[in-house]
Amino acid sequence: MEYGKREMELLQKLNFIRPCGTEEEKRAAQILLEEAQAIGVEARIESFEVDHWTIHKESLVSDGREWEVKGYGLSGSTPEEGITAPFAYVQEATEVDLLDAKGKIVMMNGRIYGEDYAKLVKAGAVGFITFQGNIVDKKEETDLNYMNLFDWNLKAGKIPGVHMRTSDALELVNSKPETVTLTLIQHEGKTSCQNVVADLPGTDPRDQSIVYGAHYDSVPFSHGMYDNGAGSVIIMELLRHFKANPPKRNMRFCWFGGEERGLLGSHAYVKAHEEEMKDISLMINVDVAGPVLGRDVAMCTSEDCLRVATDYMAKEVGFPLKVTQDIYSSDSIPFADKGVPGINFCRFGAQGAANIHNRHDVLEPLDGENLDKTTRFILAFSERMANAVVFPVPHSIPKNIVEKVDKYLKKDDKEKK
Ligand SMILES: [Zn+2]
């Protein structure tokens, strides 16, 4: 368990909450930078700018009762005294739900996914409420997430929103308030985020390189051990291995920041390195690993031949791996959008055996043995790719994958090439 032992040690060092744009995220980047430098390779921090907000006031009041809420970052501000407007529960934001939403503060099921926010704005809602959790949750055992709107939401316009617990949402709807008062005062600006990048030159690169990726940020409340301290420490061991056993092709190792805020680190990376995209033969991404109870999967964001070859190889070396041709919500997406084929390795927790995006994403459900096994397979796979006589993966993205990537990135038809 040579790799697993060191991986657990580095994971311990990253065992703190490290959200995008915070000092803790910077501290985690520094830890990874120093670890890579200690291996003896050239490594650096690449900074980029991200939207940032500071909430000064967030409240929701109905019939004299104040509810516990979190304001949506980047959703704008209300006047100091808030907005008082009729309340409507619009369920799933269907046309029927939204028929009379104009001028109202609307509450909808769950979080704002897909085009729902744009629908609320278009329907003339003046504020929105979402909710999260389970009606049986105990307040002291759960956290109310920090929420924010994304660029693609804001194309529709800006209306202030708050997020509350499902148990409170049930009470609020049951209380049938005529009006609610929503107050949100925030300062919106910019801050810096960063990727950590390490280079390993190949012995006979022929303008070809392999890029490894793993995001090292976490969401607020989460120590992000499974998602994705685990992937971060796995690619560090790959770096260590290939430093000692130089590959033919160039290798670059990227620890991305800001993934949890919408793949911000990898988007910034492909933008800053656009001219290098044609030389990247494969992007190998690792996002979630290590659970004792779990299963290994690989998702090939590439031509189908990589799926077939990886499946053969897993059988050949005796590694239980389910391989599919698909996209995966992680840092391989911006690369695929630039035509770079990718493969995502993950060890998913069995149902209920590993948590993401909450306070339960801790070290305990993981162990070095499982990190080690996943690492060994990715290593064997990488050896073949890095040292292949002719690079076996076509440098193209098939139509079925392009469509999924475009849908994921919410590209309008007119933006498509
Ligand atoms: Zn992740």
Side-chain angles (χ1 to χ4, degrees):
M1 212 181 70
E2 176 196 352
Y3 306 109
K5 189 171 172 291
R6 272 194 304 265
E7 285 166 341
M8 287 301 275
E9 283 166 11
L10 181 54
L11 209 41
Q12 290 278 10
K13 290 187 200 169
L14 295 170
N15 196 355
F16 54 91
I17 299 166
R18 34 186 208 283
C20 176
T22 62
E23 283 309 309
E24 290 73 27
E25 192 197 41
K26 287 185 172 44
R27 179 151 72 93
Q30 194 61 32
I31 290 168
L32 293 165
L33 178 76
E34 285 168 15
E35 191 81 14
Q37 286 168 340
I39 290 172
V41 299
E42 209 185 295
R44 62 190 174 278
I45 300 264
E46 295 188 0
S47 295
F48 53 94
E49 211 173 50
V50 292
D51 290 323
H52 181 72
W53 62 92
T54 312
I55 290 181
H56 300 295
K57 193 171 178 200
E58 52 198 355
S59 87
L60 181 71
V61 176
S62 69
D63 299 320
R65 173 167 177 185
E66 176 154 3
W67 304 88
E68 182 193 357
V69 293
K70 285 263 170 65
Y72 265 78
L74 306 175
S75 74
S77 293
T78 62
E80 195 63 42
E81 69 281 9
I83 304 170
T84 301
F87 171 79
Y89 169 43
V90 298
Q91 308 181 117
E92 299 286 315
T94 66
E95 275 182 67
V96 174
D97 287 319
L98 290 172
L99 205 55
D100 297 313
K102 196 169 171 38
K104 294 181 179 168
I105 293 173
V106 299
M107 182 168 91
M108 65 169 292
N109 290 346
R111 301 178 183 196
I112 294 237
Y113 286 118
E115 301 306 313
D116 294 337
Y117 174 79
K119 285 187 201 161
L120 302 184
V121 177
K122 204 167 161 229
V126 293
F128 69 94
I129 304 165
T130 56
F131 55 87
Q132 159 230 329
N134 191 295
I135 50 169
V136 303
D137 284 349
K138 292 194 174 70
K139 282 191 183 178
E140 61 282 7
E141 289 172 7
T142 53
D143 304 290
L144 188 52
N145 283 353
Y146 290 89
M147 307 298 283
N148 64 277
L149 293 178
F150 296 91
D151 282 351
W152 51 268
N153 289 129
L154 294 169
K155 284 181 194 163
K158 219 172 233 206
I159 56 170
V162 293
H163 191 56
M164 68 195 304
R165 293 170 186 277
T166 304
S167 51
D168 286 343
L170 177 61
E171 269 194 69
L172 176 63
V173 170
N174 272 336
S175 73
K176 302 193 177 355
E178 291 271 310
T179 63
V180 294
T181 302
L182 189 160
T183 311
L184 179 61
I185 310 289
Q186 64 181 314
H187 175 262
E188 298 182 14
K190 299 277 182 190
T191 192
S192 72
C193 182
Q194 58 286 310
N195 298 326
V196 181
V197 179
D199 277 326
L200 200 60
T203 55
D204 181 20
R206 297 175 191 249
D207 291 334
Q208 288 180 328
S209 66
I210 291 174
V211 170
Y212 289 90
H215 76 87
Y216 69 92
D217 63 315
S218 72
V219 301
F221 309 116
S222 170
H223 282 231
M225 294 285 90
Y226 166 55
D227 179 20
N228 181 38
S232 299
V233 302
I234 285 177
I235 70 165
M236 188 66 77
E237 280 309 299
L238 298 177
L239 172 62
R240 191 187 309 279
H241 169 86
F242 284 109
K243 170 67 181 165
N245 305 276
K248 266 167 65 172
R249 292 185 173 79
N250 292 326
M251 285 184 171
R252 177 166 282 177
F253 293 77
C254 299
W255 288 269
F256 295 114
E259 192 265 359
E260 301 288 10
R261 275 267 312 277
L263 317 180
L264 298 183
S266 47
H267 276 301
Y269 181 89
V270 301
K271 203 173 164 198
H273 296 267
E274 183 122 35
E275 74 288 353
E276 296 162 21
M277 292 297 132
K278 64 181 189 323
D279 297 331
I280 303 173
S281 300
L282 187 64
M283 197 274 180
I284 300 177
N285 187 52
V286 190
D287 191 356
V288 307
V292 174
L293 303 177
R295 63 196 169 95
D296 280 86
V297 304
M299 284 157 284
C300 302
T301 309
S302 67
E303 300 287 352
D304 199 45
C305 57
L306 181 60
R307 176 190 64 80
V308 175
T310 308
D311 185 51
Y312 276 18
M313 189 198 143
K315 286 173 176 141
E316 176 200 335
V317 303
F319 183 65
L321 183 73
K322 194 172 177 195
V323 193
T324 54
Q325 182 201 36
D326 208 348
I327 64 164
Y328 179 49
S329 177
S330 185
D331 295 308
S332 54
I333 291 209
F335 286 83
D337 186 45
K338 298 292 176 196
V340 178
I343 184 166
N344 301 275
F345 288 104
C346 315
R347 180 170 168 81
F348 286 139
Q351 188 77 40
N355 277 284
I356 62 163
H357 302 171
N358 59 39
R359 65 165 87 176
H360 304 294
D361 183 354
V362 291
L363 200 54
E364 285 65 29
L366 317 183
D367 76 355
E369 205 177 310
N370 284 285
L371 287 171
D372 196 275
K373 283 182 193 161
T374 301
T375 307
R376 279 175 196 279
F377 183 77
I378 304 173
L379 197 70
F381 172 87
S382 298
E383 287 274 9
R384 281 167 162 78
M385 292 293 161
N387 298 317
V389 174
V390 171
F391 200 80
V393 184
H395 199 268
S396 56
I397 308 287
K399 197 163 164 276
N400 58 329
I401 296 293
V402 169
E403 278 167 8
K404 286 185 179 186
V405 169
D406 285 353
K407 188 162 179 236
Y408 183 91
L409 294 174
K410 297 172 176 63
K411 284 192 181 180
D412 298 323
D413 285 331
K414 60 180 182 291
E415 284 177 43
K416 283 182 195 166
K417 282 164 216 143

